[in-house]
Amino acid sequence: MPSHPNSVTIIGTGSYAPSNVVTNDDMAKIVDTSDEWIRTRSGISARHFAAADETTSDMACAAAERAIEAAGIERNEIDLIIVATMTPDMPFPSTACLIQSKLGLPNVTTFDMQAACSGFVYALSVANSMLLSGNFNKALVIGAEKMSGILDFEDRTTCVLFGDGAGAAVLSAEQTTEKVGILGVLGGADGSNPSLLQQPAGGSAIPATTESIASRQHFLKMNGKEIFKAAVRVMGQASTDIIEQQSYDPEDLNLVIPHQANMRIIESLAKRLSIPMEKFHNNLDRYGNTSAASVPIALDEAYRAGRIQSGDLILLVAFGAGLTWGSTLIKWQ
Ligand code: UT7
């Protein structure tokens, strides 16, 4: 382990989506909606839904295996696992612990973190600090969600928007002559109006009862219009702040990987940064909103598609329930 690492680089990525592809036309058989409405309002054409017996940790392990293979390391070199999810296999133990066992990693510190759709970007920030401390050497950072398990398939305003999947990255602490990899991280939160996007029941506020189940309180609820407005504001601010913090200009960016929630939100971000949509990697049309998995799935796709080269400047930016938001600037190595 380097005694004084000064850089944290992403040395491998992986992703996984369940085989069951559900189109907008399929959704129109469940709720009163149409392919035209979903596509024009959100940009989504299809999403993947996990099988009934396929868990968040199963999807996370599939993505992690690919990331470890891409990193070309021995799995027992990993000494830290952080899993960003708001749909864990169960409230406890953590999904990260279940992944530790499934992957057979005996010497790791593991925990989940919950920052909703910003989770992966938050997790990168935490892993970055832990690796720079010199106490850890290689981290597995995963964003994984089984959103289909908390969707209300009687609520057309939400169930058409989300999908399941997982993305993972292996991070390595390095000693380099100039700083590369994760250049900077930034996060924010405003918890003053949690009901904008929440799963009301299942915690200490509304424990599971027959009433909480009958009144559908265990499903995701969202005020889409208000979330949309907040998303446009905080995605723009989180992006410009991190670019400024690192003394770059938006035109220096080679690629932007934004949270995949709504194409109109992403278009407004492109406009705010005055950079063309070609510099964005989007897969919302095929995945829907996979919450904490959306950024790492898109990152893995972009890398495997040859859209990321050594030396590229890449912006990751996300927002989600809380509200939370976060951004990361990476000099790819
Ligand atoms: O990761 C963060 C999570 N969430 C988000 O980022 C979501 C942010 N918000 C959004 O993406 C958008 O607000 C939505 C896609 C959710 C909605 O788009 P909108 O343009 O804000 O539509 P709206 O909520 O104003 O609804 C317009 C109409 C309504 O009918 P009326 O009241 O005008 O008669 C809705 O009832 O569309 C109706 N509607 C639907 N119609 C067909 C709502 N959902 C559907 C649906 N199919 N699935």
Side-chain angles (χ1 to χ4, degrees), residues 280-292:
F280 284 68
H281 188 85
N282 296 314
N283 58 20
L284 178 66
D285 56 332
R286 289 172 286 123
Y287 288 88
N289 180 347
T290 57
S291 183

Side-chain angles (χ1 to χ4, degrees), residues 33 37 41 117 156 222 224-225 259 261-262 264 289 319:
T33 190
W37 191 95
R41 298 289 175 133
C117 302
R156 70 175 182 172
M222 179 171 70
K225 262 199 182 331
H259 172 47
N262 188 307
R264 290 181 291 143
N289 180 347
F319 72 96

Side-chain angles (χ1 to χ4, degrees), residues 35-44 161 225 228 261-265 284:
D35 174 54
E36 206 262 334
W37 191 95
I38 302 170
R39 265 189 305 103
T40 54
R41 298 289 175 133
S42 70
I44 298 164
L161 301 173
K225 262 199 182 331
F228 188 101
N262 188 307
M263 197 49 77
R264 290 181 291 143
I265 295 173
L284 178 66

Side-chain angles (χ1 to χ4, degrees), residues 264-317:
R264 290 181 291 143
I265 295 173
I266 297 169
E267 283 163 358
S268 85
L269 178 62
K271 213 167 159 190
R272 165 100 182 247
L273 297 176
S274 299
I275 56 174
M277 281 297 280
E278 293 72 56
K279 283 200 173 180
F280 284 68
H281 188 85
N282 296 314
N283 58 20
L284 178 66
D285 56 332
R286 289 172 286 123
Y287 288 88
N289 180 347
T290 57
S291 183
S294 97
V295 168
I297 293 175
L299 177 67
D300 180 51
E301 271 197 1
Y303 183 72
R304 286 172 194 264
R307 292 198 70 184
I308 300 177
Q309 307 300 327
S310 189
D312 280 358
L313 191 65
I314 298 161
L315 170 68
L316 312 183
V317 57

Side-chain angles (χ1 to χ4, degrees), residues 29-300:
K29 291 176 194 145
I30 302 170
V31 285
D32 179 16
T33 190
S34 65
D35 174 54
E36 206 262 334
W37 191 95
I38 302 170
R39 265 189 305 103
T40 54
R41 298 289 175 133
S42 70
I44 298 164
S45 300
R47 73 287 290 144
H48 297 251
F49 283 156
D53 61 353
E54 190 172 30
T55 62
T56 296
S57 67
D58 291 334
M59 293 187 280
C61 283
E65 292 279 11
R66 290 171 189 173
I68 294 167
E69 193 189 340
I73 58 164
E74 294 298 326
R75 62 181 57 216
N76 61 13
E77 290 179 57
I78 291 167
D79 47 14
L80 172 66
I81 307 174
I82 307 179
V83 179
T85 186
M86 61 179 192
T87 51
D89 286 21
M90 58 194 79
F92 65 89
S94 69
T95 301
C97 269
L98 305 175
I99 292 167
Q100 174 274 327
S101 169
K102 287 181 186 181
L103 291 178
L105 304 176
N107 301 310
V108 288
T109 297
T110 69
F111 58 94
D112 289 0
M113 46 174 307
Q114 216 278 56
C117 302
S118 312
F120 183 78
V121 175
Y122 265 59
L124 278 185
S125 170
V126 173
N128 181 50
S129 298
M130 292 179 77
L131 290 171
L132 287 176
S133 75
N135 290 321
F136 299 89
N137 191 25
K138 297 234 170 353
L140 180 59
V141 180
I142 305 172
E145 303 279 15
K146 186 172 179 177
M147 296 302 292
S148 59
I150 61 163
L151 291 177
D152 185 345
F153 287 96
E154 292 184 6
D155 177 8
R156 70 175 182 172
T157 67
T158 54
C159 73
V160 301
L161 301 173
F162 295 89
D164 301 337
V170 178
L171 274 58
S172 179
E174 309 282 349
Q175 273 177 313
T176 54
T177 44
E178 65 180 53
K179 191 164 172 65
V180 290
I182 296 176
L183 300 181
V185 294
L186 186 150
D190 174 4
S192 61
N193 199 353
S195 64
L196 288 180
L197 178 49
Q198 65 174 177
Q199 181 186 349
S204 59
I206 309 177
T209 59
T210 47
E211 289 77 20
S212 72
I213 293 168
S215 59
R216 311 187 79 74
Q217 296 301 302
H218 293 265
F219 293 124
L220 177 152
K221 318 270 179 208
M222 179 171 70
N223 179 335
K225 262 199 182 331
E226 290 306 314
I227 288 285
F228 188 101
K229 282 191 255 173
V232 167
R233 193 180 69 248
V234 301
M235 290 272 276
Q237 202 58 50
S239 299
T240 52
D241 285 354
I242 191 88
I243 293 166
E244 261 179 52
Q245 183 207 82
Q246 294 300 317
S247 307
Y248 284 101
D249 290 316
E251 58 266 30
D252 297 325
L253 296 171
N254 297 97
L255 193 67
V256 181
I257 299 187
H259 172 47
Q260 305 288 303
N262 188 307
M263 197 49 77
R264 290 181 291 143
I265 295 173
I266 297 169
E267 283 163 358
S268 85
L269 178 62
K271 213 167 159 190
R272 165 100 182 247
L273 297 176
S274 299
I275 56 174
M277 281 297 280
E278 293 72 56
K279 283 200 173 180
F280 284 68
H281 188 85
N282 296 314
N283 58 20
L284 178 66
D285 56 332
R286 289 172 286 123
Y287 288 88
N289 180 347
T290 57
S291 183
S294 97
V295 168
I297 293 175
L299 177 67
D300 180 51

